[in-house]
Amino acid sequence: MSKCPDARACLQKLVVPTMERISDKVDFGLSFIASVSNKSTDVVCKHGPAECIGDMLILCAANLPFPPEGRSTHRTPTIRSLGFANCLISSYEKIPERSFVEQCALEHGIDFDALNECASQQDDDPGHDGGDKDPLSGIALLRKSALYSEALGVTTSCTVRLNEHVWCVRDDGVWKDCAQGGRGSQVSVLVEEIEKIWKERN
């Protein structure tokens, strides 16, 4: 996803503008598509190893303790981790250049050293719970994310899901299978639907 032009368009045209308006009403998460081996720790990303690194960086950023210096059980606020993801994907051809990743981390208040440690972690421990004894593992997070996407039947980046259903898909430069008679690719339509669901549940 991190090197996918459709994912970039999806984030910039729909996801980020929507989250800027209603992030407090959404339990948001990014999931990634990759091929996971059952026989080894291999994870293969469509756009190559650099995309896997980008995906791991995004997942690590979302799962780092927050605030960084504390021993908090809280994770990075969504608006920060999404901002970091958008920063990376906006210039995805630069992934995984250290200076570029460091700049995106700085812009969005992400601890670069912790981010780098997570993405560089070689231990693939899918059962990792984020405790102090075991450092976060980017490869484990990517494996878990890819398996989650696979379990949902998501095979296209970018697939936007809302309330356990596909809301809209961005594929080959066009929006497809969008809810509300195809209008689901519009920020205002997605915001309105989220507001409606939120009011029903609160």
Side-chain angles (χ1 to χ4, degrees):
M1 177 189 139
S2 60
K3 282 188 170 276
C4 174
D6 287 316
R8 175 168 64 186
C10 185
L11 277 183
Q12 292 178 344
K13 295 175 189 245
L14 182 61
V15 176
V16 170
T18 298
M19 289 297 287
E20 284 173 345
R21 290 171 61 179
I22 45 82
S23 65
D24 59 326
K25 296 176 180 168
V26 178
D27 181 11
F28 180 82
L30 289 173
S31 295
F32 297 84
I33 298 169
S35 298
V36 177
S37 172
N38 292 327
K39 298 178 181 177
S40 71
T41 59
D42 290 348
V43 177
V44 178
C45 297
K46 181 178 179 180
H47 297 96
E51 181 174 54
C52 282
I53 293 170
D55 293 353
M56 287 189 292
L57 287 165
I58 291 168
L59 286 164
C60 286
N63 284 279
L64 288 174
F66 190 85
E69 64 281 350
R71 296 199 181 275
S72 172
T73 56
H74 298 290
R75 300 288 178 227
T76 304
T78 298
I79 210 70
R80 284 181 188 239
S81 60
L82 182 58
F84 173 75
N86 191 43
C87 182
L88 285 186
I89 290 174
S90 291
S91 299
Y92 62 71
E93 63 282 350
K94 294 181 182 177
I95 297 171
E97 291 175 19
R98 182 185 177 98
S99 59
F100 171 62
V101 174
E102 202 164 7
Q103 183 60 40
C104 285
L106 182 65
E107 284 177 22
H108 296 281
I110 307 290
D111 181 338
F112 177 75
D113 291 334
L115 182 69
N116 190 39
E117 182 180 342
C118 172
S120 303
Q121 183 60 242
Q122 295 300 309
D123 292 333
D124 182 3
D125 178 16
H128 174 69
D129 64 1
D132 287 336
K133 287 191 272 184
D134 299 318
L136 279 174
S137 166
I139 192 69
L141 291 169
L142 180 54
R143 175 182 291 278
K144 182 178 178 183
S145 180
L147 290 171
Y148 177 72
S149 295
E150 185 180 308
L152 292 174
V154 173
T155 58
T156 305
S157 174
C158 167
T159 299
V160 177
R161 291 173 47 85
L162 176 65
N163 202 23
E164 304 300 325
H165 300 285
V166 172
W167 175 260
C168 204
V169 175
R170 177 82 179 193
D171 189 28
D172 288 332
V174 295
W175 294 105
K176 301 176 180 177
D177 304 323
C178 294
Q180 305 284 343
R183 294 172 50 243
S185 63
Q186 298 172 26
V187 172
S188 59
V189 175
L190 179 53
V191 168
E192 186 178 306
E193 184 66 15
I194 291 168
E195 294 274 16
K196 178 183 162 193
I197 293 168
W198 191 83
K199 283 176 186 170
E200 288 170 358
R201 295 182 180 181
N202 294 285

